Amino acid sequence: DPVGSPRERTSAEVHVVAAGETLTSIARALWNDGSKWRRLLEANEGLLQGDPDRLRVGDRLIVPAVR
């Protein structure tokens, strides 16, 4: 994928959290829009329990498909 371009998704994928990442930075990398971080939070309710501060290195986040 070219740098800065959102990747096309037709089904859910998994993202493994790296050091220094936040839901905002992951959303920016995935969809070129950091404001969509809540999509990640909602898709990972069981892991994050509604709290973006629960994000830890090595967490496996479900990345929702493009709608």
Side-chain angles (χ1 to χ4, degrees), residues 7-12 31 36-44 62-67:
R7 294 171 41 198
E8 289 295 317
R9 285 182 176 68
T10 56
S11 62
W31 302 303
K36 293 183 178 178
W37 67 268
R38 285 181 184 83
R39 293 172 85 184
L40 291 168
L41 185 64
E42 292 167 1
N44 293 279
I62 296 168
V63 177
V66 172
R67 357 177 187 154

Side-chain angles (χ1 to χ4, degrees), residues 8-34:
E8 289 295 317
R9 285 182 176 68
T10 56
S11 62
E13 293 184 14
V14 173
H15 175 85
V16 179
V17 178
E21 286 188 314
T22 64
L23 292 182
T24 300
S25 69
I26 295 167
R28 189 178 306 118
L30 294 170
W31 302 303
N32 208 28
D33 185 350

Side-chain angles (χ1 to χ4, degrees), residues 17 23 37-38 40-56 59-61:
V17 178
L23 292 182
W37 67 268
R38 285 181 184 83
L40 291 168
L41 185 64
E42 292 167 1
N44 293 279
E45 179 64 30
L47 175 68
L48 301 175
Q49 299 176 358
D51 182 358
D53 292 332
R54 292 181 62 95
L55 191 65
R56 301 288 180 254
D59 281 350
R60 298 174 59 82
L61 298 179

